[in-house]
Amino acid sequence: MRHFIFLLIFCFSINLLLAQEGQYELKENISYVSSSADSYSKERCQLDVYYPKDKKDFTTILWFHGGGLTEGRKEIPAYLKDKGVAVIGVGYRLSPQVKVEDIIKDAAKAVHWTFDHISEFGGSNKKIVLSGHSAGGYLNLMLALNPRYLSDEGINSDDLFAVVPFSAQCISHFTARSERGIGINQPVVDEYAPLYWVRKNEVPITLITGDRELEMVGRYEENAYLARMLKIVDHPDVKLLELDGYDHGMTYPAFPLLLKEIARLNK
């Protein structure tokens, strides 16, 4: 009898899992650039949309992959699946084929596409969250803090629901510095630094890093300085979270924090 009950529970759990998975759909390789774009742009500037089929006005996470702006591909993080939100994995062009400026503009075009099209999947363009790891987090902050990139796409960056970058570079990205022959360990704060664009707006910003002693050189301190400067200009909703014991590959413990932040904002 005990084995029979266990079997029933097991079958029920499997059926529940399958039913939950069946409520989501994945649309892959959607281009967010014009048909006249060059072949490299068409190859890289694609996105995947993973969304709940039976839910309306859901929150959408735009997820930008890491890789130093020189490598990596679009991805839908497994932990974020089946959590009641849509996840859009964004691909973008890479250095050295293009400049960092072009990569940021690609990211802005992906945001523009999402604002224009997420309602077709049932989502709300008033609930778009930027997130990503490392280089992806850097792109999040450049779009959120320098309003020019999204403004050029006809989007007000202050209309973002939230920004939750993981281990983002906050000084000028090392790939942008490399383009000008500046060494990787030489800190620079110029127009390619999120810190350069510190401003007060209403978009909640949650900065998450690994342990300051285990992270990439200075990554925690960069985020801590950005958080401090945002508070100095009276930004109303900024947090800095340090994950003790985790190095730069700190995405798993950060994913639940991302979802917790979305739940807070949806209350």
Side-chain angles (χ1 to χ4, degrees):
M1 184 66 177
R2 183 182 301 171
H3 294 295
F4 178 70
I5 293 173
F6 174 79
L7 181 61
L8 284 178
I9 294 172
F10 177 77
C11 291
F12 176 77
S13 300
I14 293 296
N15 288 334
L16 182 62
L17 179 62
L18 291 174
Q20 185 181 38
E21 289 178 347
Q23 295 173 355
Y24 292 79
E25 189 164 339
L26 175 65
K27 299 289 187 183
E28 297 181 282
N29 302 322
I30 301 171
S31 176
Y32 61 83
V33 293
S34 70
S35 58
S36 61
D38 62 84
S39 59
Y40 182 58
S41 295
K42 289 179 180 178
E43 173 195 346
R44 292 292 311 186
C45 296
Q46 298 183 359
L47 46 82
D48 298 339
V49 182
Y50 184 87
Y51 66 100
K53 293 175 62 178
D54 303 320
K55 187 175 181 180
K56 298 297 181 184
D57 296 325
F58 48 75
T59 301
T60 298
I61 300 169
L62 264 168
W63 178 260
F64 293 85
H65 67 81
L69 304 178
T70 62
E71 60 185 358
R73 303 196 68 83
K74 59 183 167 63
E75 59 180 353
I76 306 289
Y79 188 90
L80 298 178
K81 291 182 176 180
D82 304 346
K83 298 296 194 302
V85 298
V87 185
I88 297 181
V90 181
Y92 49 84
R93 291 175 294 173
L94 300 171
S95 174
Q97 289 90 334
V98 297
K99 300 294 187 181
V100 169
E101 174 77 5
D102 301 312
I103 299 172
I104 301 170
K105 288 180 177 179
D106 286 351
K109 289 183 185 300
V111 175
H112 183 184
W113 184 95
T114 304
F115 267 86
D116 281 357
H117 295 283
I118 196 61
S119 62
E120 299 168 15
F121 298 84
S124 169
N125 64 8
K126 299 183 185 303
K127 296 181 179 180
I128 293 174
V129 177
L130 302 188
S131 192
H133 178 237
S134 197
Y138 166 79
L139 294 174
N140 298 164
L141 290 173
M142 288 300 293
L143 295 182
L145 295 176
N146 181 351
R148 171 174 67 87
Y149 291 107
L150 288 180
S151 178
D152 286 349
E153 292 293 324
I155 302 296
N156 185 343
S157 58
D158 293 352
D159 288 339
L160 295 168
F161 195 46
V163 184
V164 188
F166 297 4
S167 194
Q169 185 118 61
C170 299
I171 62 173
S172 298
H173 196 279
F174 59 77
T175 298
R177 283 178 276 149
S178 177
E179 291 176 352
R180 289 167 290 164
I182 300 172
I184 191 170
N185 291 325
Q186 178 63 52
V188 174
V189 175
D190 62 10
E191 67 269 26
Y192 292 109
L195 271 162
Y196 187 87
W197 301 103
V198 166
R199 64 190 179 95
K200 178 182 178 180
N201 64 10
E202 300 299 320
V203 179
I205 298 176
T206 300
L207 307 167
I208 309 177
T209 78
D211 190 312
R212 69 189 73 185
E213 300 300 334
L214 300 174
E215 263 283 8
M216 293 185 71
V217 177
R219 193 59 57 92
Y220 166 80
E221 288 78 7
E222 292 177 36
N223 280 262
Y225 188 36
L226 178 59
R228 173 56 57 195
M229 296 308 296
L230 287 168
K231 290 176 181 177
I232 285 174
V233 299
D234 293 326
H235 191 290
D237 194 344
V238 58
K239 300 186 190 74
L240 172 65
L241 304 177
E242 178 185 6
L243 301 175
D244 289 348
Y246 289 91
D247 59 17
H248 187 61
M250 36 60 80
T251 54
Y252 164 68
F255 285 136
L257 297 173
L258 166 60
L259 294 173
K260 183 178 180 180
E261 181 66 7
I262 290 171
R264 177 181 75 87
L265 294 170
N266 276 313
K267 286 183 179 178

